[in-house]
Amino acid sequence: MADAPLLMIPGPIEISEAVFQATCARPPSHVAPGFIQAFGDALDTMREVWCAGPDATPFCVAGGGTLAMESAATNLVDRGERVLVVNTGYFGDRMAEMLRRRGADVVQVTAAVADTVPAEAVADALDANTFAAVFATHVDTSTGVRVDAEGIAAAAKKRGVLSCFDGVCATAGERFEMAAWGADVYLTASQKAIGLPAGLALWVASAAAMEKAASLKSPPPMTLDWNTWLPIMQAYQARRPSYFSTPATTLVPALQVGLRELVPVGSEGAMQKRFLAHQRAAEAMRAGWTSLGLSLVPTAPSHAAYTLSAIRYPDGVDSSVLGHIKAAGAIVAGGLHPAIKPTYFRVGHMGDVVGRPNALVSTVRAVAEGLNVVGYRCDVEEACQATASALSD
Ligand SMILES: *Cc1c(COP(=O)(O)O)cnc(C)c1O
């Protein structure tokens, strides 16, 4: 096939044409008037995408999701404090290790592989002891498992505990209403459902989270400290330049373009529509997988993420199929969770592609064709039809 294969892994993802064009400009100075405007507007728009209130603080710093995680682990928690980690897989393990290195006393409530942790179990764990904060992964990218972020945020708030959600595989794809749910931190990176190239760590912190960060006895390293970055973010929001460390001057204007595609100026309910679009895309992809006789890794459909599908290989198929799927037009990812890594693969369906039915159907087609190449007999056209008709319902 002549076109480049679609990039359908759970990040980095296909980006929109407008975002692509925005990344092609000559790099501006961090004090150029157009850059200042773009940075300020990107930060303002983050609040809308996060469904956050006017008192929440958006941060945009060069880096990745892991940097955003570490900034939360070090700014929300002082040495020696007890924290609860809601662990649903690979990235929960990472967060627990970061918090241990921070010197926190880490208690975990851990799901069985591919299962979720219900909000009631989090509430029970919070009742069993005193905690400074609870950390959860909104969507665990290793298994495609979603937690009930609304329920967990509510359980934390009721007990006066700060809540932090790793939204790296979820933000702008899965429903999350920071203000209405009372969540304290929601963090992500640019290359996932936000729909940009990799390179930006993004998070929004509540007033309570900012108060905590300002009152720490042992402040984090300077580049992670929210209080180092706060005056910078405030300056750009006031449309003034400021300097601590050079921002990613090519990516920030692209972020403004990408976020404004999600929530155009003056739009109403844009995020709700986008969340729904991800749900519909996920359901359509699942119709395709079901038609192919494939089953999902998550133990129940109710906690299977809308941003990606984690799919078990059928009998007799292994990761050697991935190259054939790519040759048929879609790059998908192998397993990531150490306990089940060789038994499944992952297909991302977040960001721009959820509005491109052809891309979604082509991905199902590529998976089906790849499976046929390795000897798993399945009906390619029937699977494509199942996805296409679910999308047109
Ligand atoms: C991708 C991902 C991360 C890590 O992000 P990087 O940008 O690779 O550092 C963290 N958490 C989750 C849930 C992710 O999907």
Side-chain angles (χ1 to χ4, degrees):
M1 75 181 282
D3 293 342
L6 289 162
L7 185 56
M8 301 297 285
I9 63 176
I13 62 170
E14 289 286 320
I15 60 175
S16 75
E17 186 58 27
V19 168
F20 173 66
Q21 291 301 332
T23 63
C24 297
R26 299 180 70 81
S29 152
H30 63 295
V31 299
F35 177 80
I36 295 165
Q37 184 60 37
F39 202 165
D41 192 52
L43 292 165
D44 291 346
T45 316
M46 275 178 71
R47 268 206 210 87
E48 296 180 52
V49 171
W50 266 244
C51 305
D55 60 340
T57 306
F59 290 85
C60 169
V61 173
T66 303
L67 182 132
M69 290 169 72
E70 192 127 61
S71 90
T74 52
N75 281 271
L76 280 184
V77 182
D78 227 329
R79 264 179 237 297
E81 283 185 327
R82 190 177 302 107
V83 295
L84 184 68
V85 171
V86 179
N87 191 332
T88 44
Y90 184 91
F91 289 104
D93 288 345
R94 178 174 293 185
M95 187 53 103
E97 176 59 16
M98 284 174 165
L99 288 160
R100 264 182 234 112
R101 290 183 184 208
R102 171 60 172 157
D105 173 8
V106 179
V107 177
Q108 300 201 62
V109 41
T110 303
V113 176
D115 205 351
T116 195
V117 177
E120 301 74 54
V122 176
D124 289 346
L126 289 175
D127 282 337
N129 221 321
T130 55
F131 291 94
V134 54
F135 291 80
T137 313
H138 193 187
V139 168
D140 183 81
T141 324
S142 71
T143 52
V145 165
R146 181 180 50 232
V147 297
D148 171 8
E150 182 176 9
I152 293 171
K157 187 144 194 93
K158 189 172 161 200
R159 292 159 179 84
V161 175
L162 295 169
S163 63
C164 172
F165 297 89
D166 171 355
V168 182
C169 199
T171 308
E174 299 279 352
R175 201 162 77 89
F176 193 92
E177 297 179 31
M178 188 159 173
W181 296 357
D184 290 296
V185 180
Y186 196 39
L187 63 90
T188 191
S190 50
Q191 77 276 20
K192 306 245 175 131
I194 290 280
L196 266 94
L200 296 176
L202 305 166
W203 67 91
V204 176
S206 71
M210 293 306 297
E211 260 170 52
K212 179 65 190 279
S215 71
L216 295 172
K217 287 189 219 59
S218 36
M222 244 178 124
T223 55
L224 290 175
D225 191 337
W226 293 355
N227 293 294
T228 312
W229 291 107
L230 179 60
I232 312 297
M233 302 302 142
Q234 287 173 333
Y236 279 101
Q237 281 175 94
R239 306 301 190 265
R240 282 187 283 106
S242 187
Y243 172 76
F244 165 63
S245 175
T246 309
T249 59
T250 289
L251 288 174
V252 168
L255 178 68
Q256 184 217 12
V257 169
L259 295 180
R260 279 293 170 208
E261 278 192 305
L262 307 192
V263 281
V265 177
S267 62
E268 285 281 327
M271 288 312 296
Q272 297 302 331
K273 278 185 212 143
R274 185 170 165 94
F275 300 146
L276 213 57
H278 278 77
Q279 177 175 349
R280 292 193 66 215
E283 285 166 357
M285 297 305 275
R286 278 175 211 164
W289 313 142
T290 304
S291 161
L292 293 170
L294 303 176
S295 60
L296 292 185
V297 168
T299 52
S302 54
H303 64 254
Y306 295 137
T307 49
L308 80 156
S309 296
I311 307 163
R312 293 189 187 285
Y313 293 123
D315 283 345
V317 174
D318 62 22
S319 62
S320 64
V321 71
L322 301 179
H324 299 292
I325 296 172
K326 179 179 173 188
I331 300 171
V332 300
L336 180 62
H337 195 294
I340 54 170
K341 194 177 162 80
T343 68
Y344 74 109
F345 66 108
R346 296 171 302 146
V347 179
H349 30 79
M350 55 183 128
D352 195 51
V353 293
V354 305
R356 291 164 54 193
N358 289 344
L360 298 175
V361 173
S362 297
T363 300
V364 171
R365 177 179 299 280
V367 169
E369 287 181 357
L371 287 168
N372 272 295
V373 172
V374 297
Y376 176 78
R377 292 285 158 250
C378 54
D379 191 324
V380 177
E381 297 310 326
E382 199 178 282
C384 291
Q385 194 47 49
T387 297
S389 68
L391 286 168
S392 64
D393 276 349

